[in-house]
Amino acid sequence: MSAETRTNLLLVDDRRENLIALEAILEPLGQNLVKAESGFEALRHLLTMDFAIILLDVQMPELDGFETAKLIKQRERTRGIPIIFLTAISKEPQNVFEGYSAGAVDYIFKPFDPEILRSKVSVFIDLHRKTEELQRASETLRERELAEFRRNLAESMPQIVWTTRPDGKPEYFNRRWTDYTGVPAEVAVAGTGESTLHPDDRARTAERWRQSVESGEEYEIEHRFRRASDDSFRWHLSRGLPMRDESGTIVGWVGTATDIDDQKRATEAQRFLVQASSVLGSSLDYRSTLKQVAQLAVPDIADWCGVDMLEEDGSTKQLAVAHSDPQKVAFARELSDRYPPDSAAPQGAAKVVQTGEAEIVPVITDEMIEAGARDELHLELIRELGLRSYMCVPMIARGRILGAVSFVAAESGRTYGQADLELAEELARRAAIAVDNAELYRRADERAQAAQVLATVGDGVCLIDGAGVVRLWNPAAEAITGLAASEITGRRAEAILPGWTELAPQVPVSSDPGTASTRAATVPLQIGERELWLSVSGVGFEGGTVYAFRDLTEERALESMRQEFVATVSHELRTPLAAIYGSALTIRRTDIELGDDMRDQLLGVIAEESDRLAQIVNDLLLASHLDSGRLHVSTERCDGRALAEQVVDAARTYAAEGVELELDAPDDLPQVEADPGQLQQVLTNIVDNAIKYSPDGGAITVQIAPNDRFLRFAVVDHGLGIPVSEQTRIFEKFYRLDPDMTRGIGGTGLGLYICRELVRRVDGRLWVESQEGKGSTFNVEIPLAAGAAQLTPAARAPDATAA
Ligand code: ADP
């Protein structure tokens, strides 16, 4: 019997001779006899060894047999070991009882019969053996059952389950593995088949597995397995744990691979949508945002992503094409340059844009590629792209198709399904909204700018709708006509614009804004008292007509004034010229004898008329200098009375008969601050006018009187007078009451304009008081020279005046 199969027997006695005796008795049983000389020693053996039976002496010092037995029975592991008490002394019944109650199977008195003892012990050895055998048998059974259970479990699991040897070599793959990958377990175990992992994930996976096998740490990785049913690569989460024996040594690995493709894609899709939305919302430049979105889609959502926009002419134009590899993009561009997309193709972005219907081709077959290829080279090039799955969705906002987004799977090996199509549609919807918003913003911006232009433009703009109602009346229109938009808009044009019904047909209305301004009509518009001359042009559109107009009233008045001026000046120049020419011709005549008197008279005419010519030319020059601000004014203290006196004296020499000139001025007048030459010119002009416009003669008085700041010259005539409505206008350049000179009184219409400008330049005033037919009084006020005020009578103290 080998040492391993021998059973342990524990012999406990404090006397060595007894132990030896027991040993001798039990020796023939051929078992392993373990001796202990005390209860403590016995307990120590029991800690490390398993025994079939314990022979225990009752009487022992320190820890007797009963106490030892109690301790043995207390321990779980030793409780079941049968104990036979041996005693020479304790034969009393209560001792025996105590022995049994301490858990003894027998109580034997010394001296004992060796034969009996041996046979009793061998019964227990037998029992022990049988129990052990039974135990082993049931353990094996349990293990086998467990293994069976485990295998069944692994086989029926919906996940891939595998085990490997401690060195990482595959050992087992469950049914799911074969079902999923199409690779038989034995092929996978032998490692003879082609890898089912995505080529891009192989190196990473191998490295991760090597780390785990070397370190014994848990194995976890996400990678793609090819699914046999549709030949697509799908994401899996693989996990592996080391199996260890009792000593902790790794005896193998068990692992699972779970298909997480749907979750992973859902997460990716969500992340992509969030990113795409934030890009779409980041700018109003939808072209650049759509390009970014296409770029975002690769490679997580697609290997290729393209965006096509619907152009105004109904064609589609590729806005973006993205792939994670720029070289591939260049290749695709070349391909589409060489073989431009066919807008009539039964499938593709152009078709989607036409129909507004999404397209999906989960698996692009070789037949499809063949059918779509134009020639052999095209076929070869498309095959090179390795297209596998495709979908294209329309971008629609507010019912309008704006374009299409296409997604193509190639090297990633994915195939598109319903969930992907929904994601694509959601993206296209968001992109369409962004494009639409950008468009709306642009239009709103344009409208705002247009409104601003309308508000600031100098031309009057008026929109009259198809029903003849004014819809728009801009600020310039208000300013030109003096009619507020609030009174005009919403009302019929003919009701608020007098004469509109007659005017409207005269205004050319074009349908092309470019030609409108070149064909403007100048029409009069009577608004209250005022007659406005407007240059109006119109552009018709489906909502009505837009009229643009410009105020030509002033230009027109100026124009007519200019025409009058030309007529006047030519007349004014012609008269003296004719006199000079006539006189000169007469002097040169040889056929008649001219007396000296006659010659002098003629020369006098020439001199006089030359003066008049010079005067006209001077006036013209002076007016032009005043206009351009080039006239020099140098003021000084001067005596207004003396100047007026000279003017009156000179006028008397050429005044017609019947005109009586008079100066009515006190002697002690204060001095004025003026340019004496210019002041004299002003007074001369006014006095000359008084004479000129008193054709029937009459008294003309120049009155001079001071007030606290000015010296006032009043030239009073009793001539033609000036109607009230013209009293301001006569000071305008070239303005004459009687431009046609029906009364035969000539003039350029510049005199009063010059006078008023000269007076203004010394801070004085010039105005007229007149009654038509009764005469006029022209008043000139010139500021007093500094310190001169004290001299004026009005400024003196009333007492002093009285004195
Ligand atoms: P003109 O060369 O025509 O005299 P003015 O500028 O001096 O030009 O005068 C402008 C117009 O004012 C004259 O044409 C005339 O109709 C009117 N006017 C000027 N002075 C008088 C006046 N004293 N009495 C009546 N009308 C006058």
mmCIF file of all heavy atoms in Angstrom, residues 568 572 619 685-686 689-694 717 719-722 729-732 734-739 745-755 768 770 775-778, ligand 1:
data_model
loop_
_atom_site.group_PDB
_atom_site.id
_atom_site.type_symbol
_atom_site.label_atom_id
_atom_site.label_comp_id
_atom_site.label_asym_id
_atom_site.label_seq_id
_atom_site.Cartn_x
_atom_site.Cartn_y
_atom_site.Cartn_z
ATOM 1 N N THR A 568 -32.176 139.023 -71.944
ATOM 2 C CA THR A 568 -32.010 140.378 -71.398
ATOM 3 C C THR A 568 -30.621 140.929 -71.712
ATOM 4 O O THR A 568 -30.471 142.034 -72.225
ATOM 5 C CB THR A 568 -32.211 140.368 -69.876
ATOM 6 O OG1 THR A 568 -33.342 139.585 -69.589
ATOM 7 C CG2 THR A 568 -32.364 141.763 -69.315
ATOM 8 N N GLU A 572 -29.565 143.989 -73.638
ATOM 9 C CA GLU A 572 -28.860 145.079 -72.954
ATOM 10 C C GLU A 572 -27.544 145.427 -73.639
ATOM 11 O O GLU A 572 -27.135 146.569 -73.700
ATOM 12 C CB GLU A 572 -28.579 144.686 -71.506
ATOM 13 C CG GLU A 572 -29.765 144.800 -70.586
ATOM 14 C CD GLU A 572 -30.270 146.224 -70.495
ATOM 15 O OE1 GLU A 572 -29.523 147.075 -69.979
ATOM 16 O OE2 GLU A 572 -31.397 146.509 -70.966
ATOM 17 N N ASP A 619 -21.122 144.402 -63.645
ATOM 18 C CA ASP A 619 -22.142 143.737 -62.818
ATOM 19 C C ASP A 619 -22.024 142.225 -62.909
ATOM 20 O O ASP A 619 -22.078 141.507 -61.906
ATOM 21 C CB ASP A 619 -23.548 144.162 -63.254
ATOM 22 C CG ASP A 619 -23.942 145.505 -62.648
ATOM 23 O OD1 ASP A 619 -23.096 146.058 -61.898
ATOM 24 O OD2 ASP A 619 -25.064 145.984 -62.902
ATOM 25 N N ASN A 685 -27.077 152.240 -57.329
ATOM 26 C CA ASN A 685 -27.968 151.267 -57.951
ATOM 27 C C ASN A 685 -29.420 151.490 -57.557
ATOM 28 O O ASN A 685 -30.321 151.485 -58.401
ATOM 29 C CB ASN A 685 -27.517 149.875 -57.498
ATOM 30 C CG ASN A 685 -27.778 148.844 -58.573
ATOM 31 O OD1 ASN A 685 -28.846 148.849 -59.177
ATOM 32 N ND2 ASN A 685 -26.823 147.991 -58.824
ATOM 33 N N ILE A 686 -29.650 151.729 -56.259
ATOM 34 C CA ILE A 686 -31.026 151.889 -55.791
ATOM 35 C C ILE A 686 -31.630 153.190 -56.332
ATOM 36 O O ILE A 686 -32.772 153.234 -56.779
ATOM 37 C CB ILE A 686 -31.069 151.828 -54.247
ATOM 38 C CG1 ILE A 686 -30.650 150.421 -53.795
ATOM 39 C CG2 ILE A 686 -32.467 152.148 -53.724
ATOM 40 C CD1 ILE A 686 -30.454 150.295 -52.302
ATOM 41 N N ASN A 689 -32.378 152.660 -59.952
ATOM 42 C CA ASN A 689 -33.629 151.901 -60.111
ATOM 43 C C ASN A 689 -34.836 152.797 -59.883
ATOM 44 O O ASN A 689 -35.823 152.736 -60.622
ATOM 45 C CB ASN A 689 -33.697 150.739 -59.116
ATOM 46 C CG ASN A 689 -32.961 149.500 -59.634
ATOM 47 O OD1 ASN A 689 -32.511 149.503 -60.784
ATOM 48 N ND2 ASN A 689 -32.838 148.481 -58.807
ATOM 49 N N ALA A 690 -34.745 153.638 -58.821
ATOM 50 C CA ALA A 690 -35.873 154.526 -58.489
ATOM 51 C C ALA A 690 -36.188 155.420 -59.690
ATOM 52 O O ALA A 690 -37.351 155.624 -60.040
ATOM 53 C CB ALA A 690 -35.532 155.366 -57.264
ATOM 54 N N ILE A 691 -35.103 155.892 -60.347
ATOM 55 C CA ILE A 691 -35.308 156.747 -61.513
ATOM 56 C C ILE A 691 -35.899 155.924 -62.658
ATOM 57 O O ILE A 691 -36.897 156.276 -63.277
ATOM 58 C CB ILE A 691 -33.971 157.407 -61.955
ATOM 59 C CG1 ILE A 691 -33.397 158.287 -60.830
ATOM 60 C CG2 ILE A 691 -34.149 158.209 -63.245
ATOM 61 C CD1 ILE A 691 -31.977 158.751 -61.054
ATOM 62 N N LYS A 692 -35.236 154.672 -62.873
ATOM 63 C CA LYS A 692 -35.622 153.821 -63.994
ATOM 64 C C LYS A 692 -37.085 153.397 -63.893
ATOM 65 O O LYS A 692 -37.825 153.365 -64.876
ATOM 66 C CB LYS A 692 -34.750 152.558 -63.968
ATOM 67 C CG LYS A 692 -34.150 152.263 -65.293
ATOM 68 C CD LYS A 692 -33.074 151.162 -65.325
ATOM 69 C CE LYS A 692 -33.141 150.004 -64.422
ATOM 70 N NZ LYS A 692 -32.147 148.961 -64.702
ATOM 71 N N TYR A 693 -37.498 153.038 -62.675
ATOM 72 C CA TYR A 693 -38.856 152.493 -62.531
ATOM 73 C C TYR A 693 -39.874 153.570 -62.121
ATOM 74 O O TYR A 693 -40.918 153.256 -61.570
ATOM 75 C CB TYR A 693 -38.834 151.281 -61.576
ATOM 76 C CG TYR A 693 -37.957 150.171 -62.146
ATOM 77 C CD1 TYR A 693 -36.691 149.910 -61.634
ATOM 78 C CD2 TYR A 693 -38.407 149.446 -63.260
ATOM 79 C CE1 TYR A 693 -35.880 148.941 -62.190
ATOM 80 C CE2 TYR A 693 -37.590 148.479 -63.829
ATOM 81 C CZ TYR A 693 -36.332 148.225 -63.282
ATOM 82 O OH TYR A 693 -35.539 147.273 -63.874
ATOM 83 N N SER A 694 -39.461 154.829 -62.381
ATOM 84 C CA SER A 694 -40.454 155.919 -62.253
ATOM 85 C C SER A 694 -40.584 156.550 -63.637
ATOM 86 O O SER A 694 -40.136 157.689 -63.875
ATOM 87 C CB SER A 694 -39.969 156.989 -61.242
ATOM 88 O OG SER A 694 -39.782 156.439 -59.987
ATOM 89 N N ASP A 717 -39.446 156.329 -53.887
ATOM 90 C CA ASP A 717 -39.894 156.835 -55.190
ATOM 91 C C ASP A 717 -41.400 156.707 -55.262
ATOM 92 O O ASP A 717 -42.035 156.088 -54.400
ATOM 93 C CB ASP A 717 -39.195 156.085 -56.336
ATOM 94 C CG ASP A 717 -39.608 154.649 -56.463
ATOM 95 O OD1 ASP A 717 -40.826 154.373 -56.566
ATOM 96 O OD2 ASP A 717 -38.706 153.735 -56.448
ATOM 97 N N GLY A 719 -42.843 155.574 -58.182
ATOM 98 C CA GLY A 719 -42.903 154.959 -59.500
ATOM 99 C C GLY A 719 -43.867 153.780 -59.578
ATOM 100 O O GLY A 719 -44.921 153.754 -58.946
ATOM 101 N N LEU A 720 -43.398 152.740 -60.315
ATOM 102 C CA LEU A 720 -44.271 151.613 -60.630
ATOM 103 C C LEU A 720 -44.677 150.779 -59.412
ATOM 104 O O LEU A 720 -45.742 150.186 -59.360
ATOM 105 C CB LEU A 720 -43.576 150.690 -61.639
ATOM 106 C CG LEU A 720 -43.242 151.315 -62.995
ATOM 107 C CD1 LEU A 720 -42.423 150.331 -63.835
ATOM 108 C CD2 LEU A 720 -44.519 151.688 -63.742
ATOM 109 N N GLY A 721 -43.780 150.718 -58.460
ATOM 110 C CA GLY A 721 -44.082 149.889 -57.277
ATOM 111 C C GLY A 721 -43.893 148.408 -57.601
ATOM 112 O O GLY A 721 -43.692 148.006 -58.763
ATOM 113 N N ILE A 722 -43.942 147.590 -56.560
ATOM 114 C CA ILE A 722 -43.667 146.154 -56.731
ATOM 115 C C ILE A 722 -44.762 145.365 -56.003
ATOM 116 O O ILE A 722 -45.037 145.637 -54.830
ATOM 117 C CB ILE A 722 -42.298 145.781 -56.119
ATOM 118 C CG1 ILE A 722 -41.199 146.640 -56.789
ATOM 119 C CG2 ILE A 722 -41.989 144.301 -56.277
ATOM 120 C CD1 ILE A 722 -39.965 146.811 -55.938
ATOM 121 N N ARG A 729 -38.506 138.207 -54.252
ATOM 122 C CA ARG A 729 -37.855 137.621 -55.426
ATOM 123 C C ARG A 729 -36.995 138.621 -56.206
ATOM 124 O O ARG A 729 -36.049 138.220 -56.881
ATOM 125 C CB ARG A 729 -38.893 137.001 -56.351
ATOM 126 C CG ARG A 729 -39.710 135.933 -55.627
ATOM 127 C CD ARG A 729 -40.222 134.900 -56.552
ATOM 128 N NE ARG A 729 -39.145 134.141 -57.157
ATOM 129 C CZ ARG A 729 -39.326 133.293 -58.162
ATOM 130 N NH1 ARG A 729 -40.521 133.123 -58.643
ATOM 131 N NH2 ARG A 729 -38.309 132.636 -58.659
ATOM 132 N N ILE A 730 -37.330 139.886 -56.113
ATOM 133 C CA ILE A 730 -36.547 140.856 -56.897
ATOM 134 C C ILE A 730 -35.077 140.877 -56.474
ATOM 135 O O ILE A 730 -34.218 141.336 -57.220
ATOM 136 C CB ILE A 730 -37.126 142.297 -56.811
ATOM 137 C CG1 ILE A 730 -37.308 142.691 -55.340
ATOM 138 C CG2 ILE A 730 -38.430 142.433 -57.603
ATOM 139 C CD1 ILE A 730 -37.565 144.177 -55.175
ATOM 140 N N PHE A 731 -34.786 140.325 -55.282
ATOM 141 C CA PHE A 731 -33.383 140.304 -54.831
ATOM 142 C C PHE A 731 -32.635 139.078 -55.361
ATOM 143 O O PHE A 731 -31.444 138.920 -55.128
ATOM 144 C CB PHE A 731 -33.302 140.349 -53.303
ATOM 145 C CG PHE A 731 -33.823 141.643 -52.732
ATOM 146 C CD1 PHE A 731 -35.109 141.748 -52.229
ATOM 147 C CD2 PHE A 731 -33.004 142.775 -52.738
ATOM 148 C CE1 PHE A 731 -35.590 142.943 -51.714
ATOM 149 C CE2 PHE A 731 -33.487 143.984 -52.231
ATOM 150 C CZ PHE A 731 -34.784 144.068 -51.714
ATOM 151 N N GLU A 732 -33.367 138.211 -56.043
ATOM 152 C CA GLU A 732 -32.713 137.029 -56.607
ATOM 153 C C GLU A 732 -31.953 137.422 -57.857
ATOM 154 O O GLU A 732 -32.327 138.371 -58.552
ATOM 155 C CB GLU A 732 -33.759 135.967 -56.976
ATOM 156 C CG GLU A 732 -34.358 135.274 -55.764
ATOM 157 C CD GLU A 732 -35.501 134.358 -56.154
ATOM 158 O OE1 GLU A 732 -35.663 134.086 -57.364
ATOM 159 O OE2 GLU A 732 -36.236 133.936 -55.234
ATOM 160 N N PHE A 734 -30.788 137.700 -61.430
ATOM 161 C CA PHE A 734 -31.442 137.758 -62.755
ATOM 162 C C PHE A 734 -32.948 137.939 -62.697
ATOM 163 O O PHE A 734 -33.622 137.857 -63.712
ATOM 164 C CB PHE A 734 -31.158 136.480 -63.570
ATOM 165 C CG PHE A 734 -29.709 136.178 -63.735
ATOM 166 C CD1 PHE A 734 -29.167 134.944 -63.395
ATOM 167 C CD2 PHE A 734 -28.860 137.156 -64.250
ATOM 168 C CE1 PHE A 734 -27.836 134.675 -63.557
ATOM 169 C CE2 PHE A 734 -27.506 136.872 -64.418
ATOM 170 C CZ PHE A 734 -26.994 135.642 -64.066
ATOM 171 N N TYR A 735 -33.490 138.144 -61.526
ATOM 172 C CA TYR A 735 -34.941 138.244 -61.464
ATOM 173 C C TYR A 735 -35.408 139.651 -61.834
ATOM 174 O O TYR A 735 -34.930 140.644 -61.290
ATOM 175 C CB TYR A 735 -35.447 137.854 -60.066
ATOM 176 C CG TYR A 735 -36.962 137.658 -60.070
ATOM 177 C CD1 TYR A 735 -37.504 136.455 -60.499
ATOM 178 C CD2 TYR A 735 -37.821 138.686 -59.683
ATOM 179 C CE1 TYR A 735 -38.874 136.275 -60.537
ATOM 180 C CE2 TYR A 735 -39.191 138.514 -59.719
ATOM 181 C CZ TYR A 735 -39.714 137.311 -60.144
ATOM 182 O OH TYR A 735 -41.069 137.136 -60.196
ATOM 183 N N ARG A 736 -36.334 139.683 -62.744
ATOM 184 C CA ARG A 736 -36.902 140.970 -63.147
ATOM 185 C C ARG A 736 -38.412 140.832 -63.180
ATOM 186 O O ARG A 736 -38.943 139.793 -63.559
ATOM 187 C CB ARG A 736 -36.402 141.381 -64.532
ATOM 188 C CG ARG A 736 -34.887 141.334 -64.677
ATOM 189 C CD ARG A 736 -34.413 142.031 -65.948
ATOM 190 N NE ARG A 736 -34.525 143.482 -65.835
ATOM 191 C CZ ARG A 736 -35.214 144.251 -66.670
ATOM 192 N NH1 ARG A 736 -35.873 143.695 -67.663
ATOM 193 N NH2 ARG A 736 -35.271 145.547 -66.513
ATOM 194 N N LEU A 737 -39.095 141.906 -62.771
ATOM 195 C CA LEU A 737 -40.559 141.860 -62.791
ATOM 196 C C LEU A 737 -41.079 141.797 -64.208
ATOM 197 O O LEU A 737 -42.062 141.146 -64.507
ATOM 198 C CB LEU A 737 -41.139 143.123 -62.137
ATOM 199 C CG LEU A 737 -41.133 143.176 -60.623
ATOM 200 C CD1 LEU A 737 -41.964 144.380 -60.171
ATOM 201 C CD2 LEU A 737 -41.722 141.907 -60.049
ATOM 202 N N ASP A 738 -40.339 142.428 -65.070
ATOM 203 C CA ASP A 738 -40.830 142.549 -66.432
ATOM 204 C C ASP A 738 -39.727 142.085 -67.386
ATOM 205 O O ASP A 738 -39.084 142.886 -68.046
ATOM 206 C CB ASP A 738 -41.181 144.035 -66.673
ATOM 207 C CG ASP A 738 -41.696 144.276 -68.085
ATOM 208 O OD1 ASP A 738 -42.114 143.288 -68.748
ATOM 209 O OD2 ASP A 738 -41.653 145.433 -68.524
ATOM 210 N N PRO A 739 -39.501 140.780 -67.403
ATOM 211 C CA PRO A 739 -38.358 140.290 -68.180
ATOM 212 C C PRO A 739 -38.487 140.617 -69.667
ATOM 213 O O PRO A 739 -37.478 140.769 -70.356
ATOM 214 C CB PRO A 739 -38.396 138.777 -67.942
ATOM 215 C CG PRO A 739 -39.755 138.452 -67.427
ATOM 216 C CD PRO A 739 -40.269 139.687 -66.792
ATOM 217 N N ILE A 745 -38.124 149.126 -70.153
ATOM 218 C CA ILE A 745 -37.061 149.421 -69.192
ATOM 219 C C ILE A 745 -36.122 148.232 -69.142
ATOM 220 O O ILE A 745 -36.522 147.134 -68.772
ATOM 221 C CB ILE A 745 -37.642 149.695 -67.788
ATOM 222 C CG1 ILE A 745 -38.712 150.788 -67.893
ATOM 223 C CG2 ILE A 745 -36.526 150.099 -66.821
ATOM 224 C CD1 ILE A 745 -39.533 150.978 -66.640
ATOM 225 N N GLY A 746 -34.880 148.473 -69.539
ATOM 226 C CA GLY A 746 -33.910 147.363 -69.586
ATOM 227 C C GLY A 746 -33.198 147.146 -68.265
ATOM 228 O O GLY A 746 -33.279 147.949 -67.346
ATOM 229 N N GLY A 747 -32.505 146.063 -68.196
ATOM 230 C CA GLY A 747 -31.718 145.744 -66.991
ATOM 231 C C GLY A 747 -31.359 144.276 -67.005
ATOM 232 O O GLY A 747 -31.937 143.482 -67.753
ATOM 233 N N THR A 748 -30.344 143.919 -66.189
ATOM 234 C CA THR A 748 -29.885 142.533 -66.164
ATOM 235 C C THR A 748 -30.537 141.734 -65.047
ATOM 236 O O THR A 748 -30.409 140.510 -64.983
ATOM 237 C CB THR A 748 -28.364 142.479 -65.938
ATOM 238 O OG1 THR A 748 -28.090 143.234 -64.750
ATOM 239 C CG2 THR A 748 -27.619 143.061 -67.113
ATOM 240 N N GLY A 749 -31.181 142.400 -64.107
ATOM 241 C CA GLY A 749 -31.751 141.691 -62.957
ATOM 242 C C GLY A 749 -30.670 141.332 -61.946
ATOM 243 O O GLY A 749 -30.874 140.527 -61.056
ATOM 244 N N LEU A 750 -29.495 141.946 -62.083
ATOM 245 C CA LEU A 750 -28.393 141.627 -61.161
ATOM 246 C C LEU A 750 -28.229 142.683 -60.091
ATOM 247 O O LEU A 750 -27.682 142.420 -59.024
ATOM 248 C CB LEU A 750 -27.081 141.535 -61.945
ATOM 249 C CG LEU A 750 -26.855 140.241 -62.720
ATOM 250 C CD1 LEU A 750 -25.605 140.381 -63.584
ATOM 251 C CD2 LEU A 750 -26.696 139.067 -61.756
ATOM 252 N N GLY A 751 -28.701 143.889 -60.387
ATOM 253 C CA GLY A 751 -28.442 145.028 -59.503
ATOM 254 C C GLY A 751 -28.802 144.771 -58.057
ATOM 255 O O GLY A 751 -27.946 144.865 -57.170
ATOM 256 N N LEU A 752 -30.067 144.424 -57.786
ATOM 257 C CA LEU A 752 -30.496 144.240 -56.388
ATOM 258 C C LEU A 752 -29.809 143.051 -55.737
ATOM 259 O O LEU A 752 -29.523 143.066 -54.549
ATOM 260 C CB LEU A 752 -32.025 144.094 -56.327
ATOM 261 C CG LEU A 752 -32.806 145.383 -56.585
ATOM 262 C CD1 LEU A 752 -34.299 145.121 -56.513
ATOM 263 C CD2 LEU A 752 -32.413 146.466 -55.564
ATOM 264 N N TYR A 753 -29.543 142.011 -56.552
ATOM 265 C CA TYR A 753 -28.827 140.847 -56.007
ATOM 266 C C TYR A 753 -27.456 141.280 -55.490
ATOM 267 O O TYR A 753 -27.056 140.983 -54.380
ATOM 268 C CB TYR A 753 -28.696 139.775 -57.096
ATOM 269 C CG TYR A 753 -27.727 138.685 -56.746
ATOM 270 C CD1 TYR A 753 -28.071 137.704 -55.798
ATOM 271 C CD2 TYR A 753 -26.457 138.632 -57.329
ATOM 272 C CE1 TYR A 753 -27.185 136.707 -55.469
ATOM 273 C CE2 TYR A 753 -25.568 137.630 -57.002
ATOM 274 C CZ TYR A 753 -25.927 136.662 -56.064
ATOM 275 O OH TYR A 753 -25.050 135.692 -55.726
ATOM 276 N N ILE A 754 -26.762 142.101 -56.331
ATOM 277 C CA ILE A 754 -25.433 142.575 -55.945
ATOM 278 C C ILE A 754 -25.533 143.455 -54.698
ATOM 279 O O ILE A 754 -24.765 143.311 -53.743
ATOM 280 C CB ILE A 754 -24.765 143.324 -57.117
ATOM 281 C CG1 ILE A 754 -24.444 142.330 -58.242
ATOM 282 C CG2 ILE A 754 -23.511 144.055 -56.672
ATOM 283 C CD1 ILE A 754 -24.002 142.982 -59.543
ATOM 284 N N CYS A 755 -26.539 144.347 -54.709
ATOM 285 C CA CYS A 755 -26.699 145.254 -53.561
ATOM 286 C C CYS A 755 -26.872 144.472 -52.267
ATOM 287 O O CYS A 755 -26.207 144.719 -51.265
ATOM 288 C CB CYS A 755 -27.931 146.144 -53.751
ATOM 289 S SG CYS A 755 -27.672 147.359 -55.041
ATOM 290 N N VAL A 768 -37.330 146.049 -49.026
ATOM 291 C CA VAL A 768 -38.177 146.992 -49.755
ATOM 292 C C VAL A 768 -39.567 147.053 -49.131
ATOM 293 O O VAL A 768 -40.049 146.039 -48.594
ATOM 294 C CB VAL A 768 -38.251 146.603 -51.255
ATOM 295 C CG1 VAL A 768 -39.024 145.302 -51.459
ATOM 296 C CG2 VAL A 768 -38.942 147.719 -52.072
ATOM 297 N N SER A 770 -43.246 148.393 -50.501
ATOM 298 C CA SER A 770 -43.790 148.951 -51.743
ATOM 299 C C SER A 770 -45.261 148.631 -51.905
ATOM 300 O O SER A 770 -45.768 147.659 -51.348
ATOM 301 C CB SER A 770 -42.991 148.377 -52.917
ATOM 302 O OG SER A 770 -43.538 148.829 -54.130
ATOM 303 N N GLY A 775 -45.403 153.304 -55.822
ATOM 304 C CA GLY A 775 -44.019 153.603 -55.514
ATOM 305 C C GLY A 775 -43.412 152.654 -54.502
ATOM 306 O O GLY A 775 -44.116 151.843 -53.913
ATOM 307 N N SER A 776 -42.070 152.799 -54.360
ATOM 308 C CA SER A 776 -41.348 151.873 -53.486
ATOM 309 C C SER A 776 -40.405 152.631 -52.584
ATOM 310 O O SER A 776 -39.948 153.729 -52.922
ATOM 311 C CB SER A 776 -40.503 150.905 -54.322
ATOM 312 O OG SER A 776 -41.203 150.468 -55.459
ATOM 313 N N THR A 777 -40.105 152.019 -51.455
ATOM 314 C CA THR A 777 -39.063 152.544 -50.573
ATOM 315 C C THR A 777 -38.049 151.434 -50.343
ATOM 316 O O THR A 777 -38.390 150.370 -49.823
ATOM 317 C CB THR A 777 -39.644 152.992 -49.219
ATOM 318 O OG1 THR A 777 -40.640 153.995 -49.485
ATOM 319 C CG2 THR A 777 -38.569 153.538 -48.307
ATOM 320 N N PHE A 778 -36.833 151.637 -50.813
ATOM 321 C CA PHE A 778 -35.755 150.669 -50.559
ATOM 322 C C PHE A 778 -34.966 151.138 -49.355
ATOM 323 O O PHE A 778 -34.506 152.266 -49.312
ATOM 324 C CB PHE A 778 -34.853 150.542 -51.788
ATOM 325 C CG PHE A 778 -35.442 149.649 -52.846
ATOM 326 C CD1 PHE A 778 -36.349 150.172 -53.772
ATOM 327 C CD2 PHE A 778 -35.130 148.309 -52.911
ATOM 328 C CE1 PHE A 778 -36.923 149.342 -54.742
ATOM 329 C CE2 PHE A 778 -35.687 147.486 -53.868
ATOM 330 C CZ PHE A 778 -36.596 147.985 -54.792
HETATM 331 P P1 ADP B 1 -32.704 145.486 -63.161
HETATM 332 O O1 ADP B 1 -31.453 145.466 -63.883
HETATM 333 O O2 ADP B 1 -33.773 144.752 -63.858
HETATM 334 O O3 ADP B 1 -33.095 146.824 -62.684
HETATM 335 P P2 ADP B 1 -32.471 144.971 -60.368
HETATM 336 O O4 ADP B 1 -31.956 143.767 -59.691
HETATM 337 O O5 ADP B 1 -31.881 146.225 -60.025
HETATM 338 O O6 ADP B 1 -32.416 144.626 -61.913
HETATM 339 O O7 ADP B 1 -33.996 144.985 -60.069
HETATM 340 C C1 ADP B 1 -34.735 143.847 -60.183
HETATM 341 C C2 ADP B 1 -36.172 144.166 -60.541
HETATM 342 O O8 ADP B 1 -36.798 144.776 -59.447
HETATM 343 C C3 ADP B 1 -36.320 145.083 -61.654
HETATM 344 O O9 ADP B 1 -36.334 144.436 -62.882
HETATM 345 C C4 ADP B 1 -37.635 145.721 -61.347
HETATM 346 O O10 ADP B 1 -38.669 144.950 -61.867
HETATM 347 C C5 ADP B 1 -37.736 145.694 -59.864
HETATM 348 N N1 ADP B 1 -37.384 146.988 -59.266
HETATM 349 C C6 ADP B 1 -36.205 147.387 -58.772
HETATM 350 N N2 ADP B 1 -36.272 148.616 -58.257
HETATM 351 C C7 ADP B 1 -37.541 149.012 -58.412
HETATM 352 C C8 ADP B 1 -38.254 150.196 -58.102
HETATM 353 N N3 ADP B 1 -37.660 151.242 -57.482
HETATM 354 N N4 ADP B 1 -39.537 150.270 -58.444
HETATM 355 C C9 ADP B 1 -40.137 149.258 -59.048
HETATM 356 N N5 ADP B 1 -39.535 148.110 -59.389
HETATM 357 C C10 ADP B 1 -38.236 148.005 -59.072
#
